[in-house]
Amino acid sequence: MQLRTITTLFLTLSCKVTFGQDTARLQEAYVVVRTVDRNIFYGRLLRADSTAVVLKTEVFPELSIPRQGIRRMKSIELDRFQSRTLPISSLPIAGSYALASSAYGIPAGEGYFANTLLFISQLGVGFSDHFSLRANLFFDFEEFFFPSLIIPKVSFPMRDNRLAIAFEGIFGRGLDNFTEDGSSNLIAFQGLVTVGSRMNHLTGGVGLGNTNRRWGYRPLFSASGSVQIGERWCLLTENYFLHMYGEPSHIGNVFARLYDHSVNFDFGLLANFYEEIVLPFVGLSVNLH
């Protein structure tokens, strides 16, 4: 029963790339470069042309990287460069919560795999600067069935990544035990607005779902956010305001996330105020660069 409750709670729920040759601007540019063999270099950009990018790093006065060996290059802020750490805002999972996400998309060509409570898995992939896709698979070992969700999203970062809007669809199957009318399929659409950066922001959302070929007459509202509390730590929360069996309800979580280049960890609490249940949860995610 407790396993079913946890699953139900979760289910109801630019940087500019520098390729020019403007010498004056290059002198002030700090970048992080990911190469095709999965190495990462960060430093001050000295020169850039059609054949190579030259950096000044902490170890090398001049490090030349051939263009064909570069997979991705992003600009970074000076204070992040001086702190000698890869900015966690550049990680693929930055801007995502335990299950849902903010209006920011996943960086193009990158992704992440996340698992929460062992039986809730999610894969997210960025296909372009404006389009990303998430796939969720849920394991209910008591009934031995595996409901799933596919969530495509179109996002539009604006104002130097201080504001973003997004529209996403939610398409689910195998949800018989999680809908009031017993329908197996779910179609939903929602709009999201995020104010702030990937690491420090507030997100508001509103959506409407369709089960059994009927659109719901009460929208789902959400309010989520993230605040960076340390060099590699953020405090995040998700909150959903909906009707469950005709009664208004609030489902939410609050958790801390430890970011790392390869693996991230979540530690927090999940609450269903309709059933007056509060449960601890843990999560693990792997960045796919």
Side-chain angles (χ1 to χ4, degrees), residues 39-52:
N39 286 315
I40 298 177
F41 303 95
Y42 54 92
R44 184 161 63 90
L45 186 57
L46 300 180
R47 297 187 300 278
D49 56 33
S50 60
T51 60

Side-chain angles (χ1 to χ4, degrees), residues 112-173:
Y112 64 87
F113 174 79
N115 184 275
T116 302
L117 291 168
L118 298 180
F119 57 88
I120 303 175
S121 297
Q122 178 179 169
L123 177 66
V125 179
F127 291 92
S128 73
D129 292 336
H130 300 289
F131 180 74
S132 58
L133 183 71
R134 304 196 318 275
N136 298 326
L137 181 64
F138 305 84
F139 299 88
D140 189 327
F141 297 105
E142 292 183 358
E143 298 291 336
F144 199 72
F145 76 105
F146 310 100
S148 59
L149 297 174
I150 299 293
I151 308 173
K153 179 169 68 175
V154 179
S155 56
F156 302 94
M158 297 179 289
R159 296 188 178 180
D160 296 325
N161 287 325
R162 296 297 174 183
L163 174 68
I165 62 175
F167 302 94
E168 63 180 18
I170 303 172
F171 305 93
R173 291 186 60 85

Side-chain angles (χ1 to χ4, degrees), residues 201-214:
H201 64 256
L202 291 174
T203 298
V206 58
L208 198 62
N210 181 310
T211 60
N212 201 23
R213 298 182 180 179
R214 292 184 301 179

Side-chain angles (χ1 to χ4, degrees), residues 45-59:
L45 186 57
L46 300 180
R47 297 187 300 278
D49 56 33
S50 60
T51 60
V53 170
V54 181
L55 304 180
K56 179 179 180 180
T57 71
E58 196 172 275
V59 178

Side-chain angles (χ1 to χ4, degrees), residues 3-185:
L3 182 64
R4 171 70 51 73
T5 300
I6 299 172
T7 308
T8 303
L9 300 187
F10 274 94
L11 273 169
T12 53
L13 304 182
S14 269
C15 295
K16 178 178 178 183
V17 177
T18 307
F19 288 109
Q21 300 182 33
D22 187 334
T23 304
R25 298 181 70 177
L26 292 183
Q27 294 299 324
E28 302 300 324
Y30 295 86
V31 299
V32 54
V33 177
R34 302 180 190 273
T35 59
V36 294
D37 59 355
R38 299 187 181 277
N39 286 315
I40 298 177
F41 303 95
Y42 54 92
R44 184 161 63 90
L45 186 57
L46 300 180
R47 297 187 300 278
D49 56 33
S50 60
T51 60
V53 170
V54 181
L55 304 180
K56 179 179 180 180
T57 71
E58 196 172 275
V59 178
F60 304 103
E62 287 194 6
L63 175 65
S64 179
I65 306 175
R67 284 287 187 182
Q68 63 268 27
I70 297 177
R71 182 176 183 179
R72 188 173 180 85
M73 182 167 68
K74 296 181 182 180
S75 62
I76 58 176
E77 298 176 0
L78 176 60
D79 60 342
R80 288 296 182 187
F81 169 76
Q82 292 174 334
S83 67
R84 303 179 184 180
T85 182
L86 182 70
I88 59 177
S89 60
S90 69
L91 297 177
I93 200 171
S96 296
Y97 309 119
L99 184 63
S101 71
S102 67
Y104 287 106
I106 303 170
E110 302 188 10
Y112 64 87
F113 174 79
N115 184 275
T116 302
L117 291 168
L118 298 180
F119 57 88
I120 303 175
S121 297
Q122 178 179 169
L123 177 66
V125 179
F127 291 92
S128 73
D129 292 336
H130 300 289
F131 180 74
S132 58
L133 183 71
R134 304 196 318 275
N136 298 326
L137 181 64
F138 305 84
F139 299 88
D140 189 327
F141 297 105
E142 292 183 358
E143 298 291 336
F144 199 72
F145 76 105
F146 310 100
S148 59
L149 297 174
I150 299 293
I151 308 173
K153 179 169 68 175
V154 179
S155 56
F156 302 94
M158 297 179 289
R159 296 188 178 180
D160 296 325
N161 287 325
R162 296 297 174 183
L163 174 68
I165 62 175
F167 302 94
E168 63 180 18
I170 303 172
F171 305 93
R173 291 186 60 85
L175 306 175
D176 313 58
N177 294 343
F178 303 102
T179 57
E180 295 185 28
D181 57 9
S183 175
S184 176
N185 300 329

